[in-house]
């Protein structure tokens, strides 16, 4: 049986080390921990928002932002998409669920099929699409995924 040279042994050791690191890291993919539990929520109209929350939204709505607001036993999850100069956009909730470590929300700004009336001259008309979801209050952080 041939003896392996020192250089060959070192190369094998380094390959095994990298393989071990790769396996131990789980390929670097961080997933949500625990089982997903879908959360019941209500999309709130302007007239159903607490005044303080509405004031905060009015201050922040011209820029993209996301935040939560708690009031008693309820939590409000807010996603603002900033100023848009067209009238045919709306916010869609793709998913909202709870895991053992966080609440995850996934929203998208959807553009409906455009008509000539939907395009406006800059400064003539602006829309500030946002959505407010009201749900039970949870003591975990919220992770936002907005497109």
């Amino acid at each position: 049986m041939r003896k392996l040279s020192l250089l060959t042994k070192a190369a094998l050791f380094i390959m095994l080390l990298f393989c071990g690191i790769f396996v131990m890291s789980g390929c670097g993919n961080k997933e949500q921990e625990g089982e997903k539990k879908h959360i019941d929520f209500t999309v709130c109209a302007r007239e159903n928002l607490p005044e303080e929350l509405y004031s905060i939204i009015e201050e922040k709505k011209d820029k993209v932002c996301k935040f939560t607001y708690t009031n008693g036993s309820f939590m409000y999850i807010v996603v603002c998409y900033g100023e848009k100069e067209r009238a045919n956009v709306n916010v869609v909730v793709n998913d909202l669920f709870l895991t053992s470590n966080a609440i995850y929300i996934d929203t998208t700004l959807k553009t409906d099929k455009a008509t000539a009336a939907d395009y406006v001259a800059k400064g003539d008309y602006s829309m500030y699409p946002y959505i407010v979801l009201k749900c039970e209050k949870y003591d975990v952080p919220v992770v936002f995924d907005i497109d």
Side-chain angles (χ1 to χ4, degrees):
M1 187 163 161
R2 283 182 22 179
K3 290 187 175 182
L4 296 175
S5 73
L6 184 57
L7 186 58
T8 306
K9 288 180 184 178
L12 283 172
F13 176 75
I14 290 171
M15 285 177 35
L16 287 173
L17 182 65
F18 279 117
C19 288
I21 291 171
F22 180 74
V23 169
M24 297 288 282
S25 70
C27 302
N29 189 8
K30 293 191 177 188
E31 292 291 322
Q32 299 91 12
E33 291 181 20
E35 187 176 316
K36 291 182 181 180
K37 176 187 171 208
H38 286 277
I39 298 174
D40 291 329
F41 66 89
T42 303
V43 176
C44 291
R46 158 59 191 115
E47 58 271 7
N48 296 329
L49 296 177
E51 282 303 316
E52 182 180 13
L53 175 57
Y54 182 69
S55 296
I56 295 168
I57 292 170
E58 283 296 305
E59 290 173 15
K60 296 183 173 206
K61 72 179 182 181
D62 60 331
K63 305 248 187 300
V64 175
C65 68
K66 50 202 181 285
F67 62 93
T68 60
Y69 174 88
T70 55
N71 183 355
S73 60
F74 295 105
M75 176 169 55
Y76 297 84
I77 301 171
V78 182
V79 178
C80 300
Y81 280 87
E83 182 177 13
K84 303 297 175 196
E85 294 177 350
R86 52 190 303 156
N88 63 331
V89 293
N90 56 61
V91 181
V92 177
V93 178
N94 301 316
D95 209 356
L96 177 67
F97 61 90
L98 173 69
T99 66
S100 60
N101 63 337
I103 292 173
Y104 292 84
I105 180 168
D106 177 14
T107 62
T108 304
L109 186 63
K110 182 181 177 202
T111 303
D112 296 327
K113 189 173 181 175
T115 64
D118 291 323
Y119 295 97
V120 293
K122 188 167 180 66
D124 287 351
Y125 175 82
S126 291
M127 182 177 192
Y128 303 91
Y130 68 87
I131 193 164
V132 180
L133 307 179
K134 179 181 177 182
C135 64
E136 180 182 334
K137 183 178 173 183
Y138 294 94
D139 191 26
V140 293
V142 176
V143 177
F144 294 86
D145 181 9
I146 64 172
D147 296 327

